[in-house]
Amino acid sequence: MGIDEYGGGQGPEPEVLVVTTNDVPGYHVREVIGEVFGLTVRSRHVGSQIGAGLKSMVGGELRGLTKTLVQTRNQAMERLVEQARTRGANGVLAFRFDVTEAADVGTEVCAYGTAVVLTRE
């Protein structure tokens, strides 16, 4: 697997700028729209659970699970961006991920932040 399969994030000129900071240098927050989030729950298939169990006995990275989590986080982020865009935002501040186990059947990933309208200073 290449490095591109292990990452995420936005391209060089996103329609909705998503940042982990509370402000963006060179921009002014004109309007705060409010909290937005993108949520997804993924289950693991039995084969990956068995493989992960065996791998955990000998140590090392669980590449299949890593790839699945990256895809899940990217999907949650895409949903967050779509919600922000739909509500009229062009930015999301204080972006974070929250990851939890969902009733022992899968992993819940929530991407969240504050939707805003940004203008250049």
Side-chain angles (χ1 to χ4, degrees):
M1 288 188 279
I3 191 68
D4 57 326
E5 294 178 291
Y6 289 105
Q10 299 184 291
E13 293 187 32
E15 191 175 328
V16 176
L17 179 63
V18 179
V19 297
T20 59
T21 56
N22 293 327
D23 54 18
V24 180
Y27 288 85
H28 171 74
V29 176
R30 190 181 76 202
E31 178 184 354
V32 174
I33 294 173
E35 181 187 8
V36 288
F37 68 90
L39 180 68
T40 185
V41 178
R42 291 273 177 104
S43 65
R44 295 180 293 242
H45 62 78
V46 174
S48 72
Q49 287 179 315
I50 292 170
L54 293 172
K55 184 73 170 182
S56 67
M57 285 190 254
V58 297
E61 181 181 8
L62 306 173
R63 289 180 184 258
L65 291 178
T66 300
K67 186 175 177 182
T68 298
L69 186 55
V70 167
Q71 292 168 342
T72 304
R73 287 172 61 123
N74 288 342
Q75 183 179 47
M77 186 173 177
E78 289 167 7
R79 289 177 178 177
L80 165 116
V81 168
E82 184 57 34
Q83 187 184 66
R85 183 183 306 117
T86 299
R87 294 181 61 191
N90 66 349
V92 175
L93 303 180
F95 171 74
R96 303 286 187 270
F97 282 111
D98 183 47
V99 180
T100 58
E101 288 298 313
D104 294 331
V105 296
T107 302
E108 172 190 329
V109 176
C110 182
Y112 63 95
T114 303
V116 297
V117 176
L118 298 169
T119 56
R120 284 200 180 270
E121 292 180 339

